[in-house]
Amino acid sequence: MSNIHEHRFSTFEKQLNGQNGPRECSPVPEADYHRLKAYQEQCDESQDRAEIMLSYIIRHKLMTLKPVKNLYAARMVTSGRQFQYVIDQGPVQDGLLVHRARWGQGTGVIPAYSILGVTLIGMLAGQRAPLLCENGSVRSVTVSRVTQAI
């Protein structure tokens, strides 16, 4: 009789090694993908605890994305897009994802070079994802609506 734990580990190991077919990746605009790669390199050079955590999140995100030229998805959070999101069961918040946050841009501006920003890139309206916090806790972020491109 086979041990169920051995079977589960074996299946998981095959998935990691790509033996159960290719990993399913979500499309994302090529520009956002390349910016994430640049952020990854920047984090890898840092000894800062927060950037080491961000590096882990970016690395995972890059494994789940596929860069696509000229991709426009009306329901996808990408740089320059306005959207609404909810963290856990909190209030609906407005967001604008930007690669270059500047002083005076107003509330709701979310730098792509942040844990929240990296988590949101590529998410679709109605999609929920785990949000790792700097203190090690895990919350949930849901994109409720993507409203427009700027």
Side-chain angles (χ1 to χ4, degrees), residues 6-128:
E6 289 175 14
H7 173 72
R8 285 186 182 163
F9 179 75
S10 174
T11 302
F12 178 70
E13 191 175 59
K14 285 179 183 178
Q15 288 173 342
L16 285 178
N17 293 327
Q19 295 175 6
N20 281 353
R23 176 181 228 154
E24 189 67 33
C25 291
S26 300
V28 70
E30 191 173 50
D32 284 326
Y33 183 86
H34 289 301
R35 283 291 189 106
L36 284 173
K37 287 187 72 104
Y39 297 154
Q40 176 68 55
E41 291 172 12
Q42 186 176 339
C43 287
D44 286 347
E45 295 172 4
S46 176
Q47 297 299 314
D48 180 69
R49 184 175 179 259
E51 286 194 340
I52 292 169
M53 180 181 282
L54 185 57
S55 174
Y56 169 80
I57 295 166
I58 295 171
R59 185 172 291 114
H60 179 267
K61 188 73 165 198
L62 287 170
M63 290 189 311
T64 65
L65 297 176
K66 175 178 70 172
V68 176
K69 285 184 181 184
N70 303 319
L71 175 68
Y72 176 80
R75 297 179 53 232
M76 181 184 291
V77 176
T78 58
S79 61
R81 300 297 302 270
Q82 293 180 332
F83 56 94
Q84 293 181 325
Y85 66 101
V86 175
I87 295 178
D88 291 333
Q89 302 299 318
V92 174
Q93 300 179 60
D94 293 318
L96 169 65
L97 187 71
V98 297
H99 285 290
R100 292 185 182 191
R102 294 181 294 276
W103 289 103
Q105 274 189 308
T107 59
V109 173
I110 300 170
Y113 187 67
S114 67
I115 292 174
L116 179 59
V118 169
T119 302
L120 289 165
I121 288 177
M123 287 182 65
L124 300 171
Q127 187 175 5
R128 183 175 58 189

